[in-house]
Amino acid sequence: MQGRGAGQRETGAMRPTGIDRLVPLGCYTLDVARQRTNVPPKLKQRLVDEAGGKYANPGCASYRTHIHHIKEWAVYATHDAKHMVAICPTCHDAVHHGPLVIEDETIRRWKRAPRTKLQRDHVYVEPGESSKLLLGSIAITGQTGGVSAFDLGPSTRLSFRIADADIMLMNMAISTTAGSEVLRVVDGHVRHQAEEPVRYERVPGHVRVTAPISNDFMPDWALSRLRRQEPNFASDGTLPLLDVEVMEPGLVRVQGIWNAPNHVVAITEERLAFIDPNHPNQQGIVALLGTGPDTVLDYVGPITTSLFAMGCGAGALRVLTSAAKIGRNDPCWCGSGKKYKKCHG
């Protein structure tokens, strides 16, 4: 036997399963493989839904899915949902080539697991030399264990804690103006209630939650006051309820809208803004601006106390509101150094 090329075999040899036909070529025969068909979109969606909207492996948080044929297509040549499962590209590769064997029975156990549609995610932050939140153009940190930026209620807060010296674990919650929770993050684990008109979008390291402009998600008085300083805020009719992006190891950019009774905290690309309709500032807004990640507020107090507080709340820095009246002889809120009565009183 000589001169046999790839894809050829001797006449009379057993035809392997998955070969459509044998085409005679002189004294040789050329195997012509059956063309593999694509998985129908409806079947793929059914398998993803079966896995709770993600990959079926309960030890993997990936949302990007491949469809794996437990009974190999090359052998059985069929798209039978009973023998198919949604798995992520990395785990799909591991099934076929991984150093740890993933048995078919393991995959079938993943497939059989009872599930409802998951509204969960995970924000992983690679450890860095320091841990910081970038709020607008100001970064905050708390190297003694983390920092609570603000805590205006169970569904209106933002913080992070540091575990084992350099593991940054995000914690936050956002809500509607009526107090209904939209999203909660506990040590990096996300649980969201994103249903129309709220939209939840994600790629690894970046989560975004948006909604149409509405009093349900930001009071009109707060939006109008913020637009006095940022006229183009939500100019496309969409409110950025939350935007979290891991920028560098240990650096997380956070923007969004946090609603509380008579208060709103808004973090945009430029500023960290505290908005109160009755603030002594005629614009009803106090905003902090810096120059980016190098403008850092380093909080050295206990993480049980917030860095910022509004009204009579406890915090290292208190943003004065109508609930905290300024005495006529107190320093003016504008920072001029004059007494309030001789400045804005």
Side-chain angles (χ1 to χ4, degrees):
M1 182 176 66
Q2 60 181 352
R4 186 175 66 182
Q8 300 175 348
R9 59 183 67 243
E10 293 180 284
T11 304
M14 181 178 293
R15 183 176 64 183
T17 304
I19 300 301
D20 185 58
R21 62 188 184 280
L22 299 179
V23 179
L25 210 67
C27 62
Y28 300 104
T29 301
L30 178 68
D31 295 343
V32 180
R34 181 184 292 112
Q35 183 178 3
R36 180 168 180 165
T37 60
N38 292 328
V39 178
K42 288 185 178 179
L43 175 56
K44 183 175 182 179
Q45 187 59 53
R46 172 184 164 189
L47 293 168
V48 172
D49 291 344
E50 178 185 81
K54 59 176 283 294
Y55 166 38
N57 182 353
C60 178
S62 178
Y63 278 72
R64 187 177 175 219
T65 55
H66 280 183
I67 300 302
H68 172 61
H69 292 74
I70 303 173
K71 288 188 173 182
E72 294 186 16
W73 195 94
V75 177
Y76 296 93
T78 180
H79 295 313
D80 185 344
K82 293 185 297 183
H83 307 296
M84 299 168 69
V85 65
I87 59 177
C88 83
T90 300
C91 294
H92 199 180
D93 181 73
V95 167
H96 294 290
H97 310 294
L100 298 178
V101 176
I102 301 178
E103 303 286 353
D104 285 354
E105 180 53 35
T106 297
I107 300 173
R108 292 189 183 281
R109 185 170 65 249
W110 297 346
K111 181 177 174 65
R112 292 193 302 265
R115 287 183 169 97
T116 57
K117 183 173 177 59
L118 297 176
Q119 291 182 301
R120 294 178 178 267
D121 205 342
H122 184 257
V123 178
Y124 168 75
V125 184
E126 180 182 337
E129 292 183 359
S130 63
S131 299
K132 297 185 290 187
L133 291 182
L134 181 60
L135 311 181
S137 54
I138 292 178
I140 66 170
T141 187
Q143 297 301 328
T144 58
V147 61
S148 172
F150 51 81
D151 188 344
L152 307 180
S155 298
T156 311
R157 53 188 176 80
L158 172 62
S159 68
F160 74 88
R161 71 182 184 90
I162 300 174
D164 198 25
D166 60 1
I167 300 174
M168 187 177 183
L169 300 172
M170 302 290 300
N171 291 277
M172 68 187 76
I174 59 172
S175 66
T176 66
T177 53
S180 298
E181 188 172 280
V182 174
L183 176 144
R184 176 185 297 268
V185 181
V186 178
D187 285 350
H189 292 270
V190 180
R191 183 196 299 268
H192 63 88
Q193 306 295 328
E195 298 179 353
E196 289 295 335
V198 177
R199 186 173 182 180
Y200 182 92
E201 300 171 291
R202 54 97 59 198
V203 295
H206 192 179
V207 168
R208 178 185 296 144
V209 183
T210 57
I213 290 178
S214 165
N215 263 314
D216 292 333
F217 302 107
M218 187 177 193
D220 287 340
W221 56 262
L223 179 59
S224 64
R225 282 165 172 77
L226 183 57
R227 280 179 167 172
R228 292 174 188 173
Q229 297 189 357
E230 293 196 30
N232 293 323
F233 179 78
S235 59
D236 62 352
T238 301
L239 291 172
L241 302 185
L242 184 68
D243 196 313
V244 178
E245 182 177 8
V246 182
M247 306 287 288
E248 301 174 6
L251 176 63
V252 181
R253 176 185 60 79
V254 179
Q255 298 175 15
I257 300 166
W258 286 261
N259 295 296
N262 299 317
H263 307 306
V264 171
V265 179
I267 305 175
T268 70
E269 186 174 348
E270 296 181 359
R271 70 197 70 226
L272 167 59
F274 300 89
I275 312 171
D276 178 355
N278 300 309
H279 194 280
N281 177 341
Q282 292 181 356
Q283 290 190 338
I285 184 171
V286 173
L288 302 179
L289 293 89
T291 59
D294 293 331
T295 303
V296 181
L297 295 177
D298 190 354
Y299 181 59
V300 296
I303 195 171
T304 53
T305 300
S306 297
L307 177 57
F308 300 104
M310 299 184 72
C312 297
L317 298 174
R318 187 156 56 94
V319 181
L320 294 174
T321 68
S322 56
K325 302 297 184 181
I326 304 176
R328 287 180 53 77
N329 291 313
D330 290 338
C332 187
W333 54 264
C334 72
S336 65
K338 300 178 182 178
K339 291 183 179 181
Y340 177 61
K341 67 182 180 183
K342 294 185 178 296
C343 192
H344 282 82

